[in-house]
Amino acid sequence: MELENLSVLEEASLLSGASEWDSRGIAKAGIPSFVMSDGPHGVRRQLGSGDHLGIGESKPATCFPTASALANSWDPDLAEEMGKALGEEARKLDVNVLLGPGLNIKRNPLCGRNFEYYSEDPILAGRMAAGLIRGIQENGVSACPKHFAVNSQELRRQASNSVIDERTMREVYLTAFEIAVREAKPWSIMTSYNQINGVYAHENHHLLQDILRDEWGFDGMVVSDWGGSNSAVDAVKAGGSLEMPSPGYTSVKEIVDAVAAGRLSKSDIDRRAAEVARIASRTRTTGVQRDALLDAASIDAHHQLARRVAESCQVLLKNDVVAGRTVLPLAPQSRVAVIGDMAKTPRFQGTGSSKVNSTREESLLDEFMHSADVTVAGYRQGYERQGDANPALIEDAVALASGDGTEVVVAVLGLDERSESEGLDREHMKLPAVQNDLMKALKAVGKPIVVVLIAGSPVELPWIDDVDALLYVGLAGQAGASASLRVLTGAVNPSGHLAESWPVSYDDCPNSQCFPVAERDAVYREGPFVGYRYYETADVPVRFPFGYGLTYSRFSYSDLHVDEQGIAFSVSNTSDVAGESVVQLYVRGPANGVLRPDRELKAFVKVALRGHESSRVRIDFDRYTFRHFDQTSQSWKVETGRWTVMVAEHCESVMLQAEHEVVGDMEPVPADPELGAYLKGRVKEAGDAELAVLFGRPVPAPKKAAVFGANDPILAWQDSPGFLARTMVRILLRHERKTREKTGSPDLNALFVLNMPPRVMCKMTRGQINADMVDAVVAIANGHACRGMGSFIAAYIRNRKANRNIAKELQHG
Ligand code: BGC
């Protein structure tokens, strides 16, 4: 690999993609082009130019449980095993960089991509991501954790500014990435679409240089999200290495011109080019055909692995005693009525760029039918999947459930394909009303009811008191159905625990009144009080707390010992059934210290124990246990004082606790009384003055832009004075709604365009459109149709000529 002899133009050409999925190579310097592909829970390798929204065809690959399900396993080693299989498949399918895992913090349960993310907690998200990354990279494939950072809503996803205080950003939103980077050393990382405090992630020096590289020691490539870069020149300066997918030569030209004009240093380009070239050498493949497919042995082995992973992800949320025994596992040979469309037509992943063309598919109904452990009394659809009212389906289901042939009802419920998608946030946290109506009718039958719930995010459960058992499956991948059956029949003891809190109703969420934000500025008003950090501090009851999950075993905990280095305690399985306990370590800071949530997760361990077996467990403290980000010195500090350490089964159930004197590097600093409502975590009561204290600066209220710019989403044109722009948006909106109603799935292309700012046109059109042409489009949107058209044509001619010249120059190198 020879970079020294490359011209500025050649180096600049390495810094943007050649096509939807390919980087540019330079043969004479021994730098091959490499392939990037989604996504976090399976390989989505498209041939040709493809699309980045999961719509087009891709090679078959194993669909593992999505991140939100995987996190419920609380098992980073399992994530590593899954990562290894992903890496193997990536290799075989000619992929060098796998675009995942996604590890954004779940700020609000309605974010459309939450199913692609792990948790509301950074320690859990970071550790799970680190496991997956290690596994992927063992195969010489680069993992690419994303979306860095503070990316929490899909509405306006490419035109949103996350306004956040530095301390919350560091402690809650960046710590997961920090753990992933420090522990697993990913070779690349993907920046997010949004701005952070006014600066795009891909050109954010503070994020990419000060924090990622200087503080965490990242030495890899920073790739933009697809169409997510803004100024090519600012990105190179700030630490963004590769723009994807395909700005053609427009960015190359901008970079070369900036060097010529002295606005960009050659050494910055050298550094970025070396980062891209290093990926090519680290992931170099030999002998893999572009159209290679998976072999039968891998397909089979990975399907089994997908099942094992799915088994660990299932969370038993309720299991009542009926007639002297718990409803689950189902009694041998019980006669089961299987009810619910999702039992027959499975749903096991979300919609969007992460969508995998799975090698196999299972349905829960088939699995029941083939089970030797239970008898199927019958199947009824129960509800229309898309939520249309159909009372006849409910009547049919009730008739089956009431019949003498049925002993237990298994109702399979869930969210449909429209509800969980990239590009679209959920509108509410409810299941379709028809499913809730079905549950009301089934309750009247009076037989035991088991609910199997398929959804990548929490839903409100108005019928929870009417059912006897609830198994939360999540989006469990292509082998999710057989995994669920094995849990229902007791072949597998459930060991999953919730990786996010389940509020009773959406209104209980700390940010329910300000999510998603329709204007540019999304203000993170709740500060650090996200998920259980809020519910526990503000004393808001939840349906199921963070970390919650039942098993068929019983565990007890004793003999907590705390020393300077960590804690030790004993855990015993007091039942006959072998099982796994997920033990969680929480800490509470000194009473006179800085503002903090009531408790915070700092470590966890999954302990497998045979019936009546005990084990002594040790957890060491680490750099994350007692630290906080000190706003004054802008550095991590530990407060000296009396801390509380808690060993818990979930965030509300503390089994053992002790006080522990920590000798830190600063005396406790009492929280500023001006923080008002924040002192008790009551973030919804906090006014602007308290918010300004939390942020250390006044925070202006979000406002609408008066004139449309290159960075405002096309959606905003619905208010444009220009007839053309207004009409185009209305047509797109109507088209999207109609497609959704007709197909049951969102129209991702239309959504992408609506949330896209015009600048993205010059990032995704292989150089056909440049910045001058974008400005012309913007003039049209602002009602200057004639002027805009004229400039567009002139810029088009200039751009074509410039592109031809660059292509010629690169060819003759
Ligand atoms: C998504 C990324 C994805 C990329 C490539 C973007 O729209 O946000 O997560 O990796 O497309 O498909």
Side-chain angles (χ1 to χ4, degrees), residues 21 38 52 113 146-147 157 190 193 225-226 353 422:
W21 305 116
D38 286 302
H52 69 114
R113 291 188 89 171
K146 62 189 187 185
H147 308 90
R157 67 181 182 146
M190 186 193 290
Y193 282 130
D225 198 346
W226 267 227
S353 61
E422 178 173 340

Side-chain angles (χ1 to χ4, degrees), residues 218-501:
F218 177 79
D219 70 350
M221 170 182 84
V222 174
V223 56
S224 75
D225 198 346
W226 267 227
S229 63
N230 177 49
S231 152
V233 173
D234 290 351
V236 172
K237 271 192 211 162
S241 329
L242 175 65
E243 268 189 294
M244 284 304 288
S246 49
Y249 294 128
T250 49
S251 296
V252 178
K253 183 169 181 322
E254 281 166 26
I255 292 170
V256 172
D257 289 352
V259 175
R263 284 183 288 112
L264 183 63
S265 77
K266 169 80 166 53
S267 60
D268 277 336
I269 304 187
D270 292 344
R271 264 194 290 273
R272 302 291 90 89
E275 286 153 11
V276 176
R278 199 175 311 132
I279 286 288
S281 70
R282 276 173 154 170
T283 66
R284 194 181 287 268
T285 41
T286 41
V288 184
Q289 298 298 318
R290 220 171 157 74
D291 53 0
L293 294 173
L294 292 183
D295 53 282
S298 304
I299 291 178
D300 206 47
H302 290 174
H303 186 73
Q304 309 301 330
L305 175 61
R307 175 176 305 132
R308 196 148 55 74
V309 177
E311 286 170 357
S312 272
C313 302
Q314 319 250 323
V315 192
L316 184 60
L317 290 175
K318 184 172 184 186
N319 194 13
D320 280 354
V321 174
V322 175
R325 73 182 291 285
T326 52
V327 174
L328 292 178
L330 294 166
Q333 301 316 322
S334 18
R335 295 191 303 275
V336 177
V338 182
I339 293 172
D341 186 74
M342 282 181 207
K344 191 165 177 191
T345 308
R347 177 160 182 261
F348 51 85
Q349 60 176 328
T351 307
S353 61
S354 68
K355 195 158 181 191
V356 179
N357 177 10
S358 60
T359 56
R360 291 196 189 149
E361 217 174 273
E362 295 177 345
S363 83
L364 194 54
L365 181 58
D366 278 348
E367 297 300 319
F368 264 116
M369 294 295 226
H370 294 116
S371 167
D373 300 318
V374 288
T375 309
V376 176
Y379 162 76
R380 295 293 183 276
Q381 187 183 337
Y383 54 84
E384 297 282 2
R385 196 183 187 91
Q386 314 301 347
D388 299 333
N390 188 343
L393 293 183
I394 297 186
E395 281 164 32
D396 268 6
V398 169
L400 173 68
S402 332
D404 288 345
T406 296
E407 287 172 332
V408 183
V409 175
V410 174
V412 184
L413 310 180
L415 292 174
D416 68 2
E417 289 70 9
R418 292 184 289 201
S419 317
E420 293 177 287
S421 172
E422 178 173 340
L424 188 68
D425 300 308
R426 277 193 292 167
E427 282 167 14
H428 52 72
M429 216 181 89
K430 298 180 197 313
L431 282 171
V434 287
Q435 296 188 28
N436 293 336
D437 294 345
L438 169 71
M439 295 314 293
K440 217 181 282 165
L442 288 175
K443 144 102 174 127
V445 173
K447 295 196 179 156
I449 302 178
V450 176
V451 171
V452 175
L453 189 58
I454 297 172
S457 325
V459 288
E460 291 171 13
L461 304 171
W463 36 257
I464 187 70
D465 295 333
D466 303 338
V467 304
D468 302 287
L470 171 59
L471 180 66
Y472 173 51
V473 168
L475 297 176
Q478 66 181 54
S482 52
S484 299
L485 183 83
R486 284 164 60 75
V487 171
L488 292 169
T489 56
V492 166
N493 187 357
S495 63
H497 285 241
L498 294 177
E500 64 191 299
S501 312

Side-chain angles (χ1 to χ4, degrees), residues 11-126:
E11 282 198 332
S13 76
L14 289 173
L15 308 187
S16 48
S19 71
E20 190 73 23
W21 305 116
D22 301 280
S23 75
R24 283 201 191 97
I26 300 183
K28 74 168 193 199
I31 303 168
S33 140
F34 52 86
V35 175
M36 291 156 272
S37 268
D38 286 302
H41 59 268
V43 181
R44 188 169 66 85
R45 171 71 171 113
Q46 292 190 321
L47 291 174
S49 57
D51 68 281
H52 69 114
L53 298 168
I55 303 167
E57 277 293 296
S58 55
K59 296 185 190 179
T62 310
C63 176
F64 290 93
T66 67
S68 63
L70 180 63
N72 291 338
S73 74
W74 292 64
D75 190 344
D77 294 340
L78 188 67
E80 184 167 342
E81 256 189 271
M82 176 176 143
K84 212 169 145 202
L86 285 172
E88 264 169 47
E89 293 197 9
R91 272 264 131 172
K92 290 184 175 160
L93 297 173
D94 184 34
V95 171
N96 306 71
V97 179
L98 194 61
L99 303 174
L103 57 153
N104 293 97
I105 291 298
K106 299 187 193 196
R107 177 181 175 228
N108 178 290
L110 300 191
C111 170
R113 291 188 89 171
N114 274 359
F115 72 91
E116 287 185 65
Y117 302 145
Y118 292 111
S119 179
E120 66 191 24
D121 181 87
I123 299 282
L124 179 55

